Every structure is written in C-alpha cells, then in structure tokens.
Amino acid sequence: MSTSSSRPIIGVFDSGFGGLTVLKALLELIPDADYLYFGDTARLPYGSKSVETVARYAVEAAHFLEAHGAGMLIIACNTATALALDQITAAAHVPVVGVVEPGAEAAAAASRNKKVVVIGTEATVSSHAYKKALENRGLRAWEKACPLLVPLVEEGWIEHPVTEQVARIYLAEAFANGFADADVLVLGCTHYPLLKPLLQRVAPDHVAIVDSAESTARVVSGRLQTLAPTLSPDRQKRSSSRLKFFATDSVEKFQRFGRQFLGQPIEDVLHVDLKE
Ligand code: DGL
C-alpha cells in the first residue's frame, strides 16, 4: 500500500462531516498513520439519495483519494457502504473497508440473545445491508430509519430536549414489534456517535450500544497489521498523524462543523470540485 516514510496513507470518505467520527476513532487507535479525508459536503445528504447516485458519487471520491496517494480506503459513510461498497471495491485498486461488516461483527459479539436494533438513514435502512450482515451471523435485526437525527446533530443539538424527545419516539418504535428485548443498539450512521450518551439514556436499560465507527477502526487496525506489521497501534514510539482534508463545499463551513465531529480543530482543508 502507499506509504509516506513507511507510514500508511489512509483515505477516509464520507458524504460530509459525519465521517470525522470514524476518523476520530481511527486516530485514537492508529495514531501512526497519515490520513486523507474527503467530505462530499456539496452533495450531502446521501441518506435520502438513490443507489445509482450514491454509487456514482462514492466511486468518484474513491478515485480522488487513490489519486492523492491513499493506500487503503475507509468508507466511513454508512449510506455509501450500505448502497455502494461493492461498486467502490470493484472500482478501487487498493483495499476498501466499509462500516457495515465491522458494525455487524461487533453487534454479534455483544448480543447475548441475538436480537439487535439498527438505526440509520432512510437509504441505509431500505438497503437492509445491516440486516443481511447480521442475519449472516445468526442474529435477528430490526432496522429503524431516524432521518431527523442527522439535521439535529448538525444543528449542534447534541444534549437538547428536542433531540431527546425525537430519540425517545424513534427508539420506542424500534424496540417494539417483538424486539422489546433486543439487547444491542447499532449506531448505523456517522452522526450518531455524538448522541451516544443521550441514546444510552433513552434506550432500554439492558441495551448495549455498538458504535460502527469504533468497530471499523478496530478492523482497519487489524488489516494494517497484516499489510504493514511494523505499524502496530500499540507500538512504543508514536508520532502524530498528518491530516489533510478535502471538501466539495465551503472550507470555512467544513472547519466550523467538522470540529465537533473530530473533537479537535481542523486546519489543512482544500476545496475540491469533482466534475460530474
Ligand atoms: N454519512 C451518512 C451516513 O452515515 C449520514 C449523512 C448523510 O445522509 O449524508 O449514513
């Protein structure tokens, strides 16, 4: 894979800012890699778009990241993974990791009664990608689209009574229909990790939350150890990651919005215009 001074270059792709929650998890686990992050902010949200559109956008972004030296691609966007992982993998020349399989794997490990609730965008839920990945592991899944949560998080209403009320309604509908005793809630959207404390409060007490951002970071770390065994995440001498960001809409807006998702200031952002 492509490296700079023997460090891997990991390309992270998302429809916008939300995938920065995945980058945050990657940085915590794999600090000794360099990262290129592509946020397709001009064309978000993906969660309400068709398979054809999402696949076309995602393949363009994958080509962009590869052309800029990414030696591995992380599809941080749940919607892009759910709808277009196969197309992206077929179009790429480097290993591609999506968020659905790692999320399903972590849910399978966490669930005792093999009943799981998954929340995500309309498109992710309609694709049934999580349901299929969970059923392949012997679990039953109830999927619930929660379209209002993305705009509420982008509004910065993380600990807010309106968000809490909306989450209560969604989760009451999800933990029903024979799934009241489901013991795992999978956060199948890039924005939801920010709501983890709120969702933990609102979900039934017996429920464990699986964050597909964290599970994906663990899978990437494992893959890197196979591809570049010297770059173990727990090795003694760490040097900090170099981060470069690309956004298809305003740089200033990316910096302003992105900060809360990444949990640190965002500096090196370039505006890019992907021609249709
Ligand atoms: N990144 C998307 C996801 O994880 C959420 C935002 C969008 O709809 O573009 O599904």
Side-chain angles (χ1 to χ4, degrees), residues 14-16 18-19 44-48 76-80 120-121 124 150 154 188-191:
D14 182 52
S15 57
L44 67 75
Y46 281 16
S48 52
C77 181
N78 286 260
T79 304
T121 64
T124 297
V150 165
E154 293 195 348
C189 175
T190 48
H191 289 54

Side-chain angles (χ1 to χ4, degrees), residues 7-274:
R7 291 152 64 101
I9 305 178
I10 300 177
V12 181
F13 161 64
D14 182 52
S15 57
F17 322 98
L20 292 166
T21 55
V22 178
L23 178 59
K24 185 171 183 233
L26 287 164
L27 284 167
E28 274 161 22
L29 212 56
I30 316 163
D32 47 2
D34 295 331
Y35 294 91
L36 303 174
Y37 181 95
F38 184 98
D40 197 4
T41 43
R43 305 193 287 198
L44 67 75
Y46 281 16
S48 52
K49 292 193 169 65
S50 68
V51 175
E52 292 72 25
T53 303
V54 169
R56 182 159 51 85
Y57 289 175
V59 165
E60 285 174 9
H63 284 152
F64 178 92
L65 285 167
E66 259 197 73
H68 283 75
M72 183 186 264
L73 295 178
I74 316 307
I75 312 305
C77 181
N78 286 260
T79 304
T81 300
L83 273 58
L85 187 66
D86 289 349
Q87 288 98 314
I88 302 167
T89 306
H93 306 92
V94 295
V96 179
V97 177
V99 285
V100 172
E101 289 293 327
E105 192 60 38
S111 177
R112 285 185 309 273
N113 66 4
K114 306 293 171 210
K115 276 166 94 175
V116 169
V117 165
V118 182
I119 53 174
T121 64
E122 290 281 5
T124 297
V125 165
S126 304
S127 76
H128 299 304
Y130 272 103
K131 190 175 165 74
K132 287 176 208 155
L134 288 158
E135 285 178 355
N136 286 341
R137 291 169 171 83
L139 281 82
R140 289 171 60 208
W142 184 266
E143 299 164 296
K144 171 79 188 154
C146 302
L148 292 175
L149 295 183
V150 165
L152 286 167
V153 169
E154 293 195 348
E155 190 61 33
W157 290 13
I158 307 298
E159 279 297 340
H160 192 285
V162 170
T163 311
E164 182 159 337
Q165 186 61 17
V166 168
R168 270 190 205 288
I169 294 168
Y170 281 146
L171 293 194
E173 288 170 7
F175 285 89
N177 306 310
F179 277 79
D181 61 340
D183 62 359
V184 167
L185 173 65
V186 179
L187 308 187
C189 175
T190 48
H191 289 54
Y192 302 168
L194 276 85
L195 299 175
K196 214 168 169 181
L198 183 148
L199 292 169
Q200 190 72 74
R201 275 201 317 275
V202 168
D205 286 344
H206 63 276
V207 168
I209 291 189
V210 163
D211 175 345
S212 55
E214 282 170 5
S215 343
T216 302
R218 280 197 294 277
V219 167
V220 174
S221 173
R223 285 273 197 110
L224 275 180
Q225 290 191 35
T226 318
L227 293 166
T230 51
L231 288 155
S232 153
D234 56 7
R235 71 180 194 174
Q236 296 274 303
K237 235 178 81 196
R238 290 179 176 184
S239 58
S240 58
S241 307
R242 274 186 295 260
L243 305 174
K244 207 169 190 169
F245 301 89
F246 303 95
T248 53
D249 195 14
S250 152
V251 165
E252 184 275 323
K253 191 174 171 193
F254 187 86
Q255 289 173 315
R256 189 159 39 89
F257 270 61
R259 191 185 175 131
Q260 68 170 338
F261 290 90
L262 190 61
Q264 66 180 70
I266 294 179
E267 271 141 34
D268 194 359
V269 191
L270 270 182
H271 175 260
V272 291
D273 202 1
L274 289 187

